[in-house]
Amino acid sequence: MKTKVYSKQELQERREEILAAYRAPHKKNKKLRVLTKKERKELGIGKDCGKASIKYVRIAPSKVNIVAKLIRGKDLREAKAILQYTPKAAAPVLLKLLNSAAANAVNNNELNEDALFVSELTIGPGPTMKRWLPRGKGSATPILKRSSRIWVVLREREEGDK
């Protein structure tokens, strides 16, 4: 079964219809096909946000999530201020990631830095290092050293949103 690839002319003619279909919510079993890289570029998908990610952060995802809850949905300036004064190990990592996403949004997509807010902040587990702690009578206890993967998406806040 082959998927239909749109030509540039078709994309330009049906631009609004395709964008509306991809923005609308849909069920998991009724997913739309994945657009190719050329199609996304032609439609301008992904140019309305700044993204950044980091992998292999040696902090457990549950500990990173505590700090992430503080800044989800906040304006960029407010999120930076919160992270600057949060005494958790994940705060400097998230601050650096926010600065990177803001730079991507401003330099690559020409968005206004004053209107940016934290649209999505996702924390996932990374690889876990397994170590052993010796215990009594020749036995051992496992130690799991967890790591995290973090993704952040910044978008411009619309005039009516708050």
Side-chain angles (χ1 to χ4, degrees):
M1 189 171 123
K2 279 185 112 175
T3 59
K4 183 178 183 337
V5 179
Y6 296 117
S7 67
K8 283 188 178 183
Q9 186 179 4
E10 280 181 299
L11 285 172
Q12 292 303 326
E13 290 171 1
R14 300 183 53 210
R15 178 185 184 86
E16 295 305 319
E17 179 187 335
I18 294 170
L19 287 175
Y22 276 89
R23 283 189 194 124
H26 48 272
K27 295 181 180 177
K28 284 187 177 181
N29 61 348
K30 299 280 186 183
K31 283 187 179 177
L32 299 169
R33 77 169 183 82
V34 178
L35 295 173
T36 64
K37 189 174 182 179
K38 286 183 179 179
E39 290 171 343
R40 286 195 313 268
K41 185 177 180 181
E42 190 67 34
L43 290 171
I45 293 175
K47 290 291 184 183
D48 62 337
C49 63
K51 297 178 184 178
S53 66
I54 188 168
K55 300 191 292 187
Y56 314 122
V57 178
R58 266 290 291 121
I59 304 170
S62 58
K63 293 181 180 181
V64 178
N65 211 15
I66 292 170
V67 180
K69 286 179 184 176
L70 296 174
I71 62 170
R72 275 195 188 102
K74 300 272 195 300
D75 289 331
L76 179 62
R77 189 174 289 147
E78 187 179 351
K80 284 182 180 180
I82 290 170
L83 290 176
Q84 201 167 5
Y85 295 105
T86 302
K88 295 279 190 181
V93 175
L94 286 174
L95 182 60
K96 189 173 180 180
L97 192 61
L98 268 185
N99 287 332
S100 175
N104 290 339
V106 172
N107 296 327
N108 299 344
N109 299 337
E110 300 169 1
L111 299 178
N112 181 12
E113 188 171 2
D114 296 331
L116 292 176
F117 75 103
V118 182
S119 172
E120 298 171 33
L121 183 56
T122 310
I123 289 88
T128 302
M129 295 189 293
K130 288 141 180 112
R131 302 292 182 261
W132 296 94
L133 180 68
R135 301 307 291 255
K137 298 183 182 179
S139 65
T141 300
I143 297 174
L144 301 178
K145 297 189 174 200
R146 301 183 189 279
S147 66
S148 304
R149 297 183 306 184
I150 309 166
W151 299 272
V152 66
V153 177
L154 301 177
R155 295 192 191 280
E156 274 189 328
R157 197 174 292 277
E158 301 298 325
E159 295 297 323
D161 295 348
K162 193 60 183 163

